[in-house]
């Protein structure tokens, strides 16, 4: 059975500000190599959580575990009031959890309109497509101008807009964004962040993995800091002011000891 946007509305068990995505004591490995050691963090409904950490800390692994692309070795993951630990990626996606990763979020050989039509038809049925396309082009006029262009020839920023238009129109519960602004010029990163703000304002929660930590923190209510596969802080952004760099780099807190 295919879930529709309507089905999703009926399973919205979690209200604004309540835990929407909860990882409890989650472990993950790549073969013999352990990448996550008991990670616990929470994304609240209608809010944005920035997940930050040094290279190799395990941020992308958290994103993959959440969307079902990498299995957990221990712990539990709850999403929208349900235990999704061990569920296949396609089921998690149908529950309203989308993941966008730099460079892998559009079909390059299809046109802009074909990309959108494919997602909208799958989620809304054939009859929902014209209205959904109209909403996507109203939100992102540049996509309307380029509707017949193949997605592979769009600029990096336009490709991100195409991916975000699908999320905006389909009103996903949670968007996991992994380095979406990677390789983009600062002015284009601004555009991507404006679009992410709109996605958040539309009611979609965000799990933001971002190399531009300062930008992510402007949008985020909460922050989780990962260090070598472990969470060393999970809470309001205000709670880490002035010591985020130390936490990310694993430097000891001068106030301790
Ligand atoms: P970055 O900011 O550099 O992208 P990250 O915080 O996203 O890093 P991950 O990509 O989650 O980190 O990687 C965590 C650890 O797991 C790293 O040591 C990495 O080398 C390892 N790792 C990631 N993917 C694989 C894989 N497919 N096979 C083996 N090890 C992997």
């Amino acid at each position: 059975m295919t879930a529709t946007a309507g089905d999703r509305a009926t399973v919205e068990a979690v209200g604004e500000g309540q835990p929407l995505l909860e990882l409890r004591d989650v472990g993950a490995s790549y073969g013999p190599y352990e990448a996550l050691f008991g990670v616990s963090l929470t994304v609240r409904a209608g809010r944005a959580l920035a997940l930050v950490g040094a290279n190799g800390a395990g941020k992308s692994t958290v994103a993959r575990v959440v969307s079902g692309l990498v299995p957990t070795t221990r712990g539990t993951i709850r999403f929208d009031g349900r235990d999704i630990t061990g569920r296949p990626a396609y089921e998690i996606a149908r529950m309203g959890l989308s993941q966008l990763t730099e460079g892998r979020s559009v079909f390059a050989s299809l046109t802009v309109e074909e990309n959108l039509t494919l997602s909208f038809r799958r989620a809304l049925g054939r009859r929902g497509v014209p209205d959904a396309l109209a909403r996507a082009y109203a939100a992102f006029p540049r996509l309307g101008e380029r509707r017949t262009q193949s997605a592979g020839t769009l600029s990096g920023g336009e490709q991100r807009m195409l991916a975000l238009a699908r999320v905006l129109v389909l009103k996903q519960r949670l968007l996991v964004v992994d380095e979406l602004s990677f390789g983009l010029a600062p002015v284009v990163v601004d555009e991507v962040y404006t679009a992410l703000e709109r996605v958040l304002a539309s009611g979609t929660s965000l799990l933001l993995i971002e190399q531009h930590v300062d930008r992510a923190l402007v949008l985020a209510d909460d922050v989780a800091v990962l260090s070598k596969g472990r969470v060393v802080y999970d809470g309001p952004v205000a709670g880490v002011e002035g010591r985020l760099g130390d936490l990310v780099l694993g430097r000891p807190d001068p106030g301790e000891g």
Side-chain angles (χ1 to χ4, degrees):
M1 194 185 79
T2 305
T4 66
D7 291 336
R8 275 203 291 277
T10 62
V11 297
E12 283 180 15
V14 171
E16 171 86 16
Q18 299 298 309
L20 175 69
L21 176 77
E22 282 183 287
L23 275 67
R24 290 290 163 257
D25 197 28
V26 165
S29 299
Y30 297 100
Y33 181 81
E34 265 189 275
L36 301 182
F37 303 85
V39 165
S40 299
L41 55 84
T42 303
V43 182
R44 291 179 290 144
R47 310 285 163 83
L49 174 80
L51 180 60
V52 303
N55 288 338
K59 304 179 298 293
S60 295
T61 305
V62 169
R64 292 182 202 127
V65 154
V66 161
S67 47
L69 298 173
V70 163
T72 52
T73 49
R74 67 175 213 246
T76 56
I77 306 177
R78 291 184 66 77
F79 174 58
D80 216 3
R82 290 189 269 182
D83 187 344
I84 61 163
T85 323
R87 296 271 197 102
Y90 73 91
E91 266 187 32
I92 296 171
R94 282 183 187 170
M95 290 172 66
L97 193 155
S98 274
Q99 184 178 345
L100 297 188
T101 307
E102 174 266 324
R104 274 190 294 139
S105 301
V106 298
F107 294 106
S109 62
L110 301 184
T111 66
V112 166
E113 186 139 318
E114 285 165 347
N115 265 279
L116 291 172
T117 300
L118 207 71
S119 322
F120 294 156
R121 191 184 296 163
R122 201 183 301 145
L124 307 169
R126 189 179 293 270
R127 286 199 302 185
V129 172
D131 179 53
L133 283 174
R135 280 187 283 146
Y137 296 147
F140 298 100
R142 213 182 318 158
L143 293 181
E145 290 161 18
R146 296 174 182 276
R147 67 181 76 194
T148 59
Q149 188 172 325
S150 60
T153 63
L154 293 173
S155 71
E158 288 164 350
Q159 288 192 12
R160 269 58 156 204
M161 296 305 157
L162 177 54
L164 287 169
R166 295 189 303 214
V167 173
L168 194 64
V169 171
L170 295 176
K171 295 200 184 304
Q172 301 290 284
R173 293 289 281 153
L174 177 70
L175 174 62
V176 179
V177 182
D178 190 356
E179 303 282 14
L180 202 58
S181 58
F182 182 79
L184 298 178
V187 62
V188 185
V189 177
D190 288 345
E191 285 180 21
V192 168
Y193 265 80
T194 304
L196 284 172
E197 256 178 79
R198 288 160 73 180
V199 168
L200 182 63
S202 77
T204 299
S205 309
L206 297 177
L207 174 56
L208 273 177
I209 298 169
E210 178 56 79
Q211 54 168 340
H212 302 288
V213 173
D214 293 346
R215 290 192 193 248
L217 291 186
V218 169
L219 206 57
D221 307 280
D222 299 312
V223 58
V225 183
L226 262 188
S227 177
K228 297 179 185 152
R230 293 182 166 84
V231 174
V232 292
Y233 178 85
D234 177 26
V237 171
V240 276
E241 240 154 346
R243 55 190 188 102
L244 191 58
D246 288 341
L247 282 170
V248 167
L249 297 173
R251 290 195 289 247
D253 186 336
E256 274 178 16

